[in-house]
Amino acid sequence: MSQAIEDTAPAAVARPGGALARSLIGGLVTSLPVLVVGLLILNFAPTYYTFLALGAFVNLIVVVGLQVFMGNSNIANLGHSAFVGLGAYGVAILSTPLAMKKLSIPNAPFGFATLELDPVSSALLALLAVGILALVSGKVISRLSGVAATIVSLALLIIVHSVFLNWTGLFKGNQAFFGIPKVVGLPWMMVMSVVVIVLARLFKDSRWGLQLRASAQSPQAAAALGIDARRLRLVSWVLSALICGLAGILYAYFAGTISPKLFYFQMIFNTLAMLILGGMATVTGAMTGVIVLSVGLEFIRSIESGVTIAGIQLPQLLGLSGVALGVVIVLCMAFRPSGISGRYELDELLSRFFRHAK
Amino acid sequence: MDYALQQVLNALAFGAEYSLVALGLAVVFSIMGLVNFAHGEIIGVSAYSVFLAAALGLTSPIVAVLLAIAAAALAAIAFERVAFRPVRYAPTTTGLLTAFGVSIVVQNLFMLLISPKPQSVSILNGLNQMWFFGPFAVSSLQVMELIVSGLTILALVLFLNRSTLGLAIRAASRDFATVRLMGIRANRVIATAFAISGALAGIAAVFIMARRGSVSPDLGFSLVLKAFVACVIGGFGSLPGAAVGGMLLGFIEVGLLVALPQEYGGFKDALTYAIIVALLVYRPEGLLGQRVELGDKEI
Amino acid sequence: MLKVENLSVRYGAVAAVRDLSLSVGQGELVALLGPNGAGKSSTINALTGLVAPSAGRIVLDGQDISRVRTEDRIRAGLTSTPEGRHIFANLTVGENLRLGAATRRDPKGVRQDMERFLALFPVLSERYAQAAGTLSGGEQQMLAIARSLMSRPKLLLLDEPSLGLAPKIVVRIFDFIGQLKAEGLTLLVVEQNARQALRFADRVYVMSSGALRFDGPPSGLADEHGLLNLYIGG
C-alpha cells in the first residue's frame, strides 16, 4: 500500500519552488493539445465546427472540474452539473440587459428585475454563489462515506434542478432563458481552459492534493499521519464546484440562451463518460477523454439523426449516443479502469519517453 | 379525520414502495458492495416485458404480475452475469460507475428499440380501483401496496433467517471467503441476492404500471434515486435501515404534500431531499447505521 | 489421502512457497510447523483454493484438485478452519453450525452431529441463539472447529488453532484435536506453537522462508541441532 502511495507522487522534488515550477510547466504541457486543437479550429474551421468546439471546451472545463474532486478523492460525484447550471443562471440573471429581462423575468425578486451588471462582475458574483452552495453542500458531503457522498451529490443535483424548474419568477422555469450577452468566443474559452487545466494540475501536485490522494488509497495510513481527509475533501469539492461554475458561466456567455435541462443528467452522463474514458486519476486523462468522446459523439449523433447511405435514408436512432456512452463506461470499468491515459500526466509520459529513448 | 387517515395511508403506501426498492439495493450492496444504479432499469425491463407481452396478446393480469416479477429477477441476474461480475472485486467506485453505465445503456436501449415516448399499458389498471368501507373511500392499489410489501418483507426476513442460502447471504455480507470455505458457491449466493433484489423491483414495477398505466424509458430511475436516499438515511447496507428509511421518506413526502401550499407543490422533491441531507448532518452514518471505527470488534 | 507435489505460491515477485512437497496419509495427524512468514498460511490457502498456486499439483484421494474451485474442494471432503477463526460474528452460534453443514443433504445426520457438538461443548449449547461475535476467543475457536466438522470432512486443515488464545485454552483445544485423531479423522495442523502441535503428531514438516526444512517423526526433531529449534520457535 505504501508502494502505491509513493507511485502517485512521481519524483518528489526537494525544493518546494522546484515542485511548483514543475507542476506549472506540467500543466502547461498538458494543455498544449487543447491549444493546438483550438488554434486549428479558430483559423481553419467553418462556423458550425467553431460552435461545436465551444461546446466541447465547456465540457472540457466541466470534466477538469470533475477530475479535481473525483480524481483526488476517488469518490464518484454525480451532481456537478448543478454547479454548472448555477454558474450559468447566475450570470443570466445578473448580466442580461434590462430590456430583455422585462420579457423574461419581469417579476424577479430581490430587485434582480431591475439590475444589470457588466459581464465580469456578474461572473464573479455567480462564482460567489457557486462557492457558497459548494461550501454548504461540501460540509455535508465531506463528512459522509464514499457511497453516501455520491448519493447526496445526486440529491443536490435534483434539488438544484427542481429549484430552476419551479422558481419561475427567478429562473424562468422550463422555458429557455435568452438574451444573455454573448461576450465569449473561442479565444477566451481557450485561455480559460488552459487556466483550469493548470489549476487542476497545481492542486493535484500540491500538498493538499497529495494528502487527499493518499487518504483515498489508504484512509487508515493517512489518518495515522495526521491527515484531515474531511477538510481536504471539502477543499477539493469547492474547487471542483468553482471550475464547474466557471464552465456554466462561459457556456451562458457564448450561447446566450440556457435552459434547466442542459444542466441535468445528460450533462452528467456525457462528462462522466469522458472522464472515465480518459482516466480520472490525471488531468491529462480528463483532457484526453473530452477530445476522444467529443469527436466520437459527434459522429454517433450524425448517425442518430438518420443518415443517408448510398441513397437509402436510415431511420432516426434516438438513444444510440446514450447506448454508446454507457457501453464506453462499462467497458472501461471492466477492462481498463484507469482509462486511456492511466496513471501518468502528459509531461510525465513525455519525459519518460525521452529518457527511455536516450 | 377522514383526510388524516387518507394521508397516513398515502404515506404508508409510498413508504412501502420505497422500502421494497431500497431493500433490493441493500441486499446486493450488503454482500458485494455494489451500488446498483441499474436497479431502476431492472424495474424498466420488468415493465417493458409486460408491455410487450400485452402487445402480443396477453390479457391475464395474474400472468402479467408473475411475468413482471420473473422478468425483473432474470434481468437482475443477467446484469450481474454480464456487467458486474468483471468488476466484482474492484473498488466500490468502479462498481458504482459500471452500474451507472449499465443504467444509461439499458435506458437508451428502451428508447432505441421501443420508443422514447411513454407507451400505454392497461393490463394492470384493474388493480387500481376505489374501495368503499362505509364512509371511507380508499385506493385498492394503496392497500395492496401496503399488504404486499409487508408480506414480501416478512418473507424476506424468514428467508434470510431460516434458509441455508439466506444465512449464507447474511454471512457473506461480512466474510465472503469463509462462506466459500463452507462449500457454498459464491456465484450461487450472489445470483440469489440479485434474484431477490430483482423480484422486489418487479413487485414495484407492477405497482408503478398499475398507477400510471404506461411505461417509459426512465420509469424506474427517479424511484430508485429515492430508494438510494432511503438507504443512505437508514444506513447504507443495513436491511432494516433500508425499510425504515423508505417508510420515513414516504412520510416526509406526504407530509410536505399536505403542508406545502398548492403553488409550491413543485418544490416537494427539492425539500424532501433537503430534509434528508439535513438529517445526515446530524447522523452521517444514517439512522440504523453503526459508526464503524477502524479496528472495532465486529458483532 | 492428500499429496502435494512441488507446490509454489507467488505474490507478484515474492515467492511465498517454493517447491513444497508433502503428504498426509489416512488417519494421520500431520503437523506443519514454522515461524511467522514461513509460508504456512499460503500453503493452506493454496490447498483450499483461496489463492492459486503458480506451480505444482494437489492430489486428494487420487484426484488432482489443483484447478478445482474452493467450494468444490470443500464438497470433495477437504475442509479448513481458517486462521483467526473467522466465525460469522453477526450470525448466531446455531446458524454458524448450520452453515458448516451447508453442503450436506442428510438433515437427520446434520441434526445428530449438531447435538453431538453441542454436548461436547456445553458453552456453545448455552449460547446457541446468541450472536457468535459475543463469544470469547477460545469459544470462537471451538465453534470454528465444530463448524468445520459439520461438513463431515475426510481431511481437516487447521490453520493456527492456538493463535491469540491463552495457554490453558490452547491445551484444551489440542486435547480436542487429539480426540478427533483418535476418532479416525485425518488432520493437517499448521502451527507456530510446536510443543502443542507435537503432542499428537504422527509426522512433522518444518517450513521456513517458503521451503521445507525438515520432514520426519516428531522424535527426529529433538535430535536436530539448535538452528532448527530456532525455526520452530517453540
Side-chain angles (χ1 to χ4, degrees):
Chain A
M1 193 48 91
S2 68
Q3 179 69 38
I5 291 175
E6 275 164 32
D7 280 354
T8 59
V13 181
R15 289 176 304 123
L20 184 68
R22 223 187 112 92
S23 76
L24 197 63
I25 292 167
L28 289 171
V29 171
T30 308
S31 52
L32 272 180
V34 177
L35 280 180
V36 172
V37 172
L39 285 173
L40 283 176
I41 290 171
L42 195 60
N43 288 308
F44 301 108
T47 331
Y48 172 68
Y49 285 100
T50 312
F51 199 77
L52 282 181
L54 281 162
F57 272 102
V58 170
N59 278 338
L60 173 68
I61 299 175
V62 175
V63 175
V64 170
L66 190 58
Q67 194 276 335
V68 168
F69 181 72
M70 269 179 76
N72 293 307
S73 72
N74 205 19
I75 295 172
N77 172 5
L78 303 176
H80 56 281
S81 63
F83 296 115
V84 184
L86 188 61
Y89 271 97
V91 293
I93 290 164
L94 292 169
S95 70
T96 302
L98 288 181
M100 286 297 201
K101 272 192 186 168
K102 276 215 180 74
L103 293 172
S104 56
I105 47 167
N107 303 317
F110 316 125
F112 283 132
T114 54
L115 183 73
E116 183 189 338
L117 294 178
D118 65 287
V120 176
S121 330
S122 305
L124 291 175
L125 284 173
L127 279 180
L128 183 69
V130 169
I132 291 170
L133 180 67
L135 209 56
V136 172
S137 56
K139 281 275 184 201
V140 181
I141 282 180
S142 61
R143 293 181 54 170
L144 300 172
S145 73
V147 174
T150 302
I151 307 294
V152 170
S153 74
L154 257 178
L156 175 74
L157 174 67
I158 296 167
I159 293 173
V160 170
H161 182 73
S162 150
V163 169
F164 287 160
L165 278 185
N166 290 295
W167 195 347
T168 44
L170 190 55
F171 297 104
K172 220 174 162 249
N174 207 2
Q175 295 167 322
F177 196 126
F178 52 83
I180 308 161
K182 296 187 188 180
V183 290
V184 164
L186 203 45
W188 265 115
M189 206 65 106
M190 285 161 59
V191 171
M192 285 303 173
S193 301
V194 175
V195 168
V196 298
I197 286 175
V198 171
L199 207 60
R201 182 60 189 279
L202 285 177
F203 179 77
K204 183 189 158 211
D205 289 346
S206 73
R207 203 162 51 97
W208 283 350
L210 179 60
Q211 289 181 349
L212 185 54
R213 280 179 288 145
S215 88
Q217 289 196 1
S218 174
Q220 303 96 312
L225 293 172
I227 292 175
D228 182 355
R230 278 186 195 175
R231 213 191 78 209
L232 296 171
R233 281 201 289 268
L234 177 63
V235 170
S236 71
W237 174 260
V238 172
L239 180 62
S240 161
L242 287 174
I243 293 176
C244 288
L246 176 68
I249 292 169
L250 293 169
Y251 180 85
Y253 278 155
F254 99 76
T257 306
I258 55 175
S259 62
K261 69 170 190 294
L262 288 170
F263 311 109
Y264 207 38
F265 279 108
Q266 195 58 49
M267 175 175 268
I268 302 273
F269 293 159
N270 285 342
T271 50
L272 198 63
M274 287 171 177
L275 183 61
I276 289 170
L277 178 66
M280 64 177 114
T282 60
V283 182
T284 306
M287 184 197 65
T288 314
V290 174
I291 294 177
V292 174
L293 258 196
S294 297
V295 175
L297 275 182
E298 194 44 41
F299 175 70
I300 292 170
R301 282 202 193 102
S302 65
I303 301 176
E304 202 173 32
S305 53
V307 280
T308 314
I309 296 173
I312 302 163
Q313 169 76 40
L314 290 177
Q316 273 202 336
L317 296 168
L318 284 178
L320 194 63
S321 59
V323 172
L325 279 178
V327 167
V328 163
I329 295 178
V330 173
L331 290 182
C332 257
M333 284 291 130
F335 298 111
R336 195 171 161 83
S338 60
I340 294 175
S341 73
R343 275 214 322 260
Y344 296 103
E345 298 284 359
L346 184 60
D347 55 302
E348 290 160 2
L349 280 174
L350 289 176
S351 72
R352 277 161 69 91
F353 177 75
F354 285 119
R355 220 179 304 139
H356 284 295
K358 257 189 250 171
Chain B
M1 192 57 209
D2 186 11
Y3 179 73
L5 267 181
Q6 177 57 46
Q7 294 307 332
V8 169
L9 182 61
N10 258 339
L12 286 171
F14 271 120
E17 198 173 309
Y18 295 146
S19 297
L20 274 189
V21 181
L23 273 172
L25 294 169
V27 166
V28 164
F29 182 81
S30 69
I31 69 155
M32 56 185 290
L34 177 77
V35 183
N36 191 3
F37 267 103
H39 202 64
E41 284 56 47
I42 294 172
I43 297 178
V45 170
S46 169
Y48 275 99
S49 305
V50 172
F51 163 72
L52 288 177
L56 293 172
L58 177 73
T59 50
S60 155
I62 294 167
V63 176
V65 168
L66 294 178
L67 174 69
I69 296 170
L74 286 177
I77 293 172
F79 285 6
E80 190 275 322
R81 187 73 195 80
V82 175
F84 300 141
R85 196 168 290 186
V87 296
R88 187 184 285 177
Y89 303 106
T92 311
T93 305
T94 306
L96 184 152
L97 293 174
T98 303
F100 203 64
V102 171
S103 158
I104 302 172
V105 171
V106 178
Q107 237 184 75
N108 282 281
L109 279 177
F110 293 146
M111 277 194 213
L112 197 58
L113 301 178
I114 297 173
S115 166
K117 295 195 190 74
Q119 305 289 310
S120 153
V121 182
S122 52
I123 186 166
L124 295 168
N125 288 3
L127 297 179
N128 197 4
Q129 296 165 349
M130 287 313 266
W131 283 346
F132 296 94
F133 297 99
F136 297 115
V138 294
S139 144
S140 62
L141 186 62
Q142 287 189 332
V143 174
M144 275 190 265
E145 270 177 297
L146 197 54
I147 294 172
V148 170
S149 302
L151 290 177
T152 308
I153 291 172
L154 188 68
L156 180 63
V157 169
L158 284 177
F159 175 78
L160 290 176
N161 284 302
R162 299 287 165 85
S163 73
T164 305
L165 213 46
L167 292 181
I169 286 179
R170 281 167 57 213
S173 70
R174 299 292 183 88
D175 189 346
F176 216 129
T178 308
V179 170
R180 295 178 59 201
L181 282 180
M182 302 296 110
I184 299 164
R185 296 200 167 94
N187 285 340
R188 193 145 166 246
V189 175
I190 290 179
T192 308
F194 270 93
I196 291 172
S197 166
L200 296 178
I203 295 171
V206 169
F207 292 139
I208 297 175
M209 282 186 285
R211 188 163 53 238
R212 285 213 212 161
S214 69
V215 296
S216 60
D218 60 351
L219 178 83
F221 198 72
S222 63
L223 176 61
V224 167
L225 289 184
K226 284 190 180 145
F228 268 121
V229 171
C231 283
V232 170
I233 196 67
F236 218 97
S238 150
L239 300 189
V244 170
M247 270 299 163
L248 181 67
L249 198 60
F251 274 89
I252 292 178
E253 272 203 335
V254 172
L256 283 171
L257 271 181
V258 173
L260 283 179
Q262 193 75 46
E263 65 266 35
Y264 294 116
F267 289 106
K268 187 199 74 184
D269 279 359
L271 279 170
T272 306
Y273 286 115
I275 290 172
I276 297 286
V277 172
L279 278 174
L280 285 175
V281 174
Y282 294 100
R283 275 192 80 86
E285 67 279 12
L287 293 177
L288 299 187
Q290 282 166 351
R291 179 169 293 226
V292 183
E293 298 291 343
L294 294 162
D296 276 3
K297 193 176 168 192
E298 276 207 3
I299 289 180
Chain C
M1 160 139 318
L2 177 74
K3 259 177 97 89
V4 177
E5 293 165 2
N6 310 101
L7 181 79
S8 294
V9 177
R10 308 181 64 88
Y11 300 111
V14 185
V17 178
R18 280 173 289 149
D19 207 23
L20 177 93
S21 296
L22 57 78
S23 66
V24 182
Q26 177 77 43
E28 263 191 319
L29 193 165
V30 174
L32 176 60
L33 308 180
N36 221 346
K40 302 181 309 273
S41 286
S42 296
T43 306
I44 290 278
N45 284 336
L47 291 180
T48 53
L50 288 177
V51 301
S54 53
R57 262 162 43 101
I58 300 163
V59 181
L60 181 73
D61 269 347
Q63 270 201 324
D64 186 350
I65 56 164
S66 314
R67 299 272 166 271
V68 172
R69 277 184 304 185
T70 300
E71 297 92 310
D72 298 325
R73 292 186 198 193
I74 312 299
R75 284 161 190 263
L78 179 152
T79 291
S80 129
T81 307
E83 181 183 353
R85 306 179 280 276
H86 287 273
I87 48 123
F88 301 117
N90 56 331
L91 269 52
T92 65
V93 169
E95 290 171 338
N96 267 276
L97 291 174
R98 272 189 61 196
L99 272 187
T103 53
R104 288 172 59 180
R105 291 286 166 269
D106 57 330
K108 218 170 157 191
V110 171
R111 218 170 305 129
Q112 282 169 0
D113 281 3
M114 184 103 86
E115 277 160 19
R116 193 180 138 231
F117 291 124
L118 291 176
L120 215 52
F121 302 113
V123 195
L124 299 186
S125 179
E126 280 163 34
R127 310 259 169 108
Y128 185 80
Q130 207 169 314
T134 60
L135 299 180
S136 73
E139 292 161 359
Q140 292 192 6
Q141 187 60 269
M142 304 279 180
L143 174 59
I145 296 174
R147 186 182 61 182
S148 299
L149 293 171
M150 286 299 293
S151 69
R152 288 221 174 140
K154 293 186 215 159
L155 167 66
L156 177 62
L157 311 178
L158 284 169
D159 195 356
E160 303 262 4
S162 75
L163 190 79
L165 299 181
K168 241 170 85 184
I169 295 170
V170 173
V171 171
R172 275 193 57 203
I173 300 252
F174 274 94
D175 285 346
F176 179 57
I177 292 171
Q179 190 185 333
L180 290 175
K181 189 206 163 198
E183 285 171 15
L185 185 66
T186 311
L187 293 121
L188 175 64
V189 181
V190 171
E191 257 302 339
Q192 278 191 69
N193 187 334
R195 191 168 300 135
Q196 286 300 324
L198 293 179
R199 272 170 60 201
F200 303 101
D202 296 307
R203 287 187 303 114
V204 187
Y205 292 96
V206 180
M207 272 184 97
S208 112
S209 310
L212 218 51
R213 307 285 164 173
F214 177 86
D215 166 8
S219 56
L221 266 181
D223 310 337
E224 298 281 329
H225 42 78
L227 182 72
L228 207 51
N229 285 323
L230 246 177
Y231 280 142
I232 308 166

